[in-house]
Amino acid sequence: MRIPEELAEIGKKRIEPYPVEGFVYGSGPKHPKLMLVGEAPGETEIGNGIPFSGRAGKELMKFLEMAGVKREDVYITSAVRSRPYKWGEKNGPDGTKVKRKYNRVPTSGEILAHAPLLDYEIKHVHAPIIVTLGNIGLKRLAGKEKKVSDLHGELIVQPVMRLKGDQYEWTEKQYRLFPTFHPASIFYNRSLLELIHADMEKLRELCRNFPVNDQADQDKNH
Ligand code: URA
């Protein structure tokens, strides 16, 4: 499944005012086992156009394996489809300072700019469970007050936020959300690894309980 080209163009236009670069499409089947919602692509992803193909992606693939699912069975997207960057300095080989771009967390304006893209994917990708990776995806879909540290590893059934005009509103439909940590979080906090492993065990069980093409069952809940 790929979002329509006109919508991608709208997304590219809406994000233009912000310090971001590149554009990565969400990718995966229309009826995946899971839909994964990350934060924003990084340098590797904007280079090759493949979501979660960099360092965080390698960790994510290990987590998916623990949950018993393969990359080709999941739809992978993120709240923002371009790489948010900031300028910083790094020591060059001869000791001089070299300017370079660093990744940063997307702002609420950037998330809003790409909200119609994620809204489209939520509507058209029929995943029995939506896994949010980190706080950005969780807050975007489940509400600003939600925190991954409180909710990780729990299945939550609730409406999600979608953009209507320039404001978010709640969908009538209920979705199954499964928050867990962003795979890059373990680079800064190794102790999260155990928690993520436990979350993946729970996710494995949930995938058994809610198999693919479970749409009819979900529709009963709205
Ligand atoms: N983090 C994300 O959220 N998405 C990517 O594609 C890479 C890192």
Side-chain angles (χ1 to χ4, degrees):
M1 207 301 288
R2 204 189 233 232
I3 61 165
E5 214 39 53
E6 312 87 78
L7 184 58
E9 288 308 316
I10 291 169
K12 289 175 192 172
K13 258 259 94 46
R14 286 171 59 95
I15 204 90
E16 250 173 27
Y18 300 98
V20 302
E21 60 181 355
F23 187 88
V24 180
Y25 289 83
S27 80
K30 197 171 163 64
H31 293 271
K33 287 190 179 170
L34 299 170
M35 178 170 176
L36 310 184
V37 182
E39 190 174 297
E43 192 178 7
T44 309
E45 289 81 13
I46 59 153
N48 63 20
I50 305 167
F52 279 104
S53 50
R55 200 164 152 237
K58 269 203 187 116
E59 297 301 325
L60 178 63
M61 294 313 127
K62 289 189 222 161
F63 300 152
L64 286 183
E65 204 180 322
M66 298 184 82
V69 293
K70 298 192 181 73
R71 185 183 177 103
E72 58 266 32
D73 297 331
V74 301
Y75 187 91
I76 311 183
T77 189
S78 53
V80 174
R81 318 319 324 272
S82 300
R83 177 199 184 197
Y85 64 81
K86 58 176 182 235
W87 286 102
E89 276 182 348
K90 186 185 166 206
N91 285 330
D94 56 357
T96 57
K97 300 272 184 214
V98 185
K99 270 190 99 185
R100 59 158 281 192
K101 285 173 182 166
Y102 287 90
N103 293 344
R104 62 170 173 80
V105 174
T107 62
S108 52
E110 291 157 356
I111 295 167
L112 188 91
H114 276 179
L117 286 59
L118 183 58
D119 290 347
Y120 183 94
E121 293 173 302
I122 295 282
K123 191 165 175 194
H124 292 90
V125 176
H126 301 296
I129 303 167
I130 300 170
V131 178
T132 56
L133 301 166
N135 266 321
I136 296 288
L138 174 63
K139 288 172 186 282
R140 161 65 177 86
L141 292 178
K144 271 212 160 99
E145 70 293 348
K146 301 287 197 300
K147 282 193 201 149
V148 67
S149 49
D150 295 339
L151 295 171
H152 74 93
E154 279 177 40
L155 186 71
I156 45 182
V157 182
Q158 64 156 83
V160 299
M161 291 208 301
R162 71 164 167 232
L163 198 62
K164 173 108 186 274
D166 57 2
Q167 302 263 320
Y168 289 105
E169 63 169 18
W170 293 105
T171 56
E172 307 81 55
K173 186 173 161 178
Q174 307 262 345
Y175 291 84
R176 292 188 199 100
L177 303 177
F178 185 86
T180 190
F181 297 94
H182 193 284
S185 61
I186 62 160
F187 303 143
Y188 316 103
N189 184 355
R190 210 65 205 166
S191 67
L192 293 177
L193 197 55
E194 255 177 60
L195 300 179
I196 299 177
H197 286 178
D199 289 357
M200 292 305 111
E201 289 303 321
K202 287 191 194 156
L203 189 56
R204 178 186 271 271
E205 190 61 33
L206 288 168
C207 284
R208 273 195 218 117
N209 295 343
F210 302 109
V212 191
N213 271 336
D214 194 35
Q215 194 58 25
D217 179 44
Q218 275 199 55
D219 287 345
K220 273 191 264 161
N221 294 326
H222 67 246

